[in-house]
Amino acid sequence: MPKASSHEGHAFIVEAGVAIGGNIGKEGITVYRFANRIPMLFEGGSDVVTRVANKSIKWSSYKIDHKKQRVGVFVSTVSTRIPFKGTSKEYIGEDVTPINDAVKKALQMCCHQLKAHLSRRDAENDARTRRKNLVKYIPDVTRSIFRYWAALLLCIVIL
């Protein structure tokens, strides 16, 4: 659950989501930025969200290969006063420490949840594969055991 913070006396909250795979665009990190849930379309490279996603998050520690996989990063900053840079309100600067920290923390929480989901999915796939391999060899093993016991019984009866 995101926690509200404040910057210059104005409360703000950062909502975030991380998705991998699917048809999210190109390979690598694709950042979708929102201010008060309205998409910010311009000056994406200068934004705090893009900088944090590309430089501050260690994707490999969350079992995400951000260079080969398609990673979608969705972040919405909601506030009564968002500290935009420039007059055109196109991006939020990374020099605002509380927002920078909140974005990083929100993305880390999302990545942690995604890592748990991926680990659980991988464990289920491994169990399914193990079961499939065991089921594949059960007839051969039972046949061999039956032959062994039959030969052992035959030897006992002859003696």
Side-chain angles (χ1 to χ4, degrees), residues 55-66:
K55 293 187 172 55
S56 298
I57 303 294
K58 293 183 180 178
W59 296 100
S60 59
S61 62
Y62 298 107
K63 296 185 178 182
I64 298 171
D65 186 4
H66 70 282

Side-chain angles (χ1 to χ4, degrees), residues 2 14-18 74-76 103 106-107 110:
V14 174
E15 303 166 330
V18 176
F74 304 85
V75 177
S76 176
V103 168
L107 287 178
C110 290

Side-chain angles (χ1 to χ4, degrees), residues 4-135:
S5 299
S6 66
H7 171 67
E8 295 179 356
H10 296 276
F12 70 90
I13 192 164
V14 174
E15 303 166 330
V18 176
I20 61 169
N23 297 325
I24 302 177
K26 62 184 185 335
E27 289 180 352
I29 299 173
T30 305
V31 178
Y32 299 93
R33 308 166 299 128
F34 301 89
N36 290 329
R37 299 196 178 133
I38 297 170
M40 297 190 319
L41 304 174
F42 304 106
E43 297 291 331
S46 305
D47 195 68
V48 64
V49 177
T50 306
R51 298 282 176 119
V52 168
N54 288 326
K55 293 187 172 55
S56 298
I57 303 294
K58 293 183 180 178
W59 296 100
S60 59
S61 62
Y62 298 107
K63 296 185 178 182
I64 298 171
D65 186 4
H66 70 282
K67 294 182 180 172
K68 293 182 181 176
Q69 292 178 320
R70 295 176 176 178
V71 181
V73 176
F74 304 85
V75 177
S76 176
T77 306
V78 180
S79 177
T80 55
R81 183 185 172 278
I82 296 178
F84 292 108
K85 293 295 174 186
T87 57
S88 58
K89 297 184 177 183
E90 293 174 348
Y91 69 98
I92 301 170
E94 66 177 326
D95 60 337
V96 183
T97 306
I99 292 180
N100 194 351
D101 294 341
V103 168
K104 184 175 179 180
K105 187 175 179 181
L107 287 178
Q108 286 174 336
M109 285 178 25
C110 290
C111 289
H112 181 72
Q113 291 175 356
L114 185 59
K115 178 184 174 185
H117 173 73
L118 293 175
S119 297
R120 190 170 41 252
R121 184 187 70 183
D122 291 345
E124 288 172 359
N125 287 341
D126 290 344
R128 191 177 303 116
T129 304
R130 249 189 339 267
R131 180 178 172 86
K132 180 181 170 186
N133 288 337
L134 284 173
V135 167

